[in-house]
Amino acid sequence: WKPAKQLACHPISVDIRHSNIINIAANIIFTTIMASMNFSSAKQTIKPPQRGIFPLDHDAECKPFKEKYLTCLKGEGDKHHLCREFSKEYLQCRMDRNLMASEDLDRLGYSKEATVEKAVEYDKSKEKGGYVAGKHIDGRMKWWFQR
């Protein structure tokens, strides 16, 4: 390695490449420190997930249950309440194989009381007919203090 140039005016001979490396390192350190500084007065706390960590299913033990659920969702137009039994089977599979903490399925929303019956989806007939929200209001809106 040969120095590119020597600075003759400086009492200590410094390699220009070396000074550039020092400047780059100083900029990296400065930006790292500034990025990590928090100027808010409130203490920030990190909350863990509510039900713990869910390990990935690396061995694809529950993949058939997941595929059945996703196929059902796709076939039913993403209406999850129609695929409830498949999602229940998938969660039970994960609990049986210790991929998730064991929990009563009733507490996870699979109780008889939580069953969705006769769900009606909005058909968007107004929007198909050309309705635009707020367009029916005539005149200029007045603020509360202008009334």
Side-chain angles (χ1 to χ4, degrees), residues 19-77:
S19 66
N20 286 342
I21 291 172
I22 291 173
N23 286 338
I24 291 170
N27 284 337
I28 291 171
I29 292 169
F30 178 74
T31 54
T32 304
I33 290 171
M34 291 306 290
S36 66
M37 292 180 76
N38 183 2
F39 295 106
S40 69
S41 60
K43 183 180 177 185
Q44 292 181 342
T45 57
I46 298 172
K47 295 181 182 177
Q50 192 174 21
R51 301 226 181 252
I53 298 170
F54 298 102
L56 295 176
D57 188 7
H58 292 292
D59 298 329
E61 299 173 79
C62 297
K63 189 172 182 176
F65 298 102
K66 178 185 77 169
E67 294 298 327
K68 277 197 272 184
Y69 176 62
L70 293 175
T71 303
C72 178
L73 280 178
K74 194 175 206 177
E76 297 294 342

Side-chain angles (χ1 to χ4, degrees), residues 49-129:
Q50 192 174 21
R51 301 226 181 252
I53 298 170
F54 298 102
L56 295 176
D57 188 7
H58 292 292
D59 298 329
E61 299 173 79
C62 297
K63 189 172 182 176
F65 298 102
K66 178 185 77 169
E67 294 298 327
K68 277 197 272 184
Y69 176 62
L70 293 175
T71 303
C72 178
L73 280 178
K74 194 175 206 177
E76 297 294 342
D78 291 327
K79 296 175 189 161
H80 60 87
H81 61 278
L82 299 177
C83 303
R84 180 182 168 94
E85 288 303 314
F86 294 113
S87 64
K88 185 177 179 179
E89 289 173 6
Y90 174 65
L91 289 175
Q92 188 62 54
C93 174
R94 288 188 63 86
M95 285 188 264
D96 293 343
R97 287 157 179 82
N98 292 324
L99 294 171
M100 118 181 225
S102 292
E103 182 94 28
D104 184 24
L105 288 171
D106 289 347
R107 292 190 67 211
L108 293 176
Y110 292 98
S111 65
K112 295 285 184 194
E113 296 84 34
T115 304
V116 177
E117 295 177 9
K118 300 179 184 176
V120 179
E121 189 168 327
Y122 178 62
D123 63 354
K124 299 182 183 180
S125 59
K126 283 183 166 183
E127 286 81 359
K128 290 176 184 173

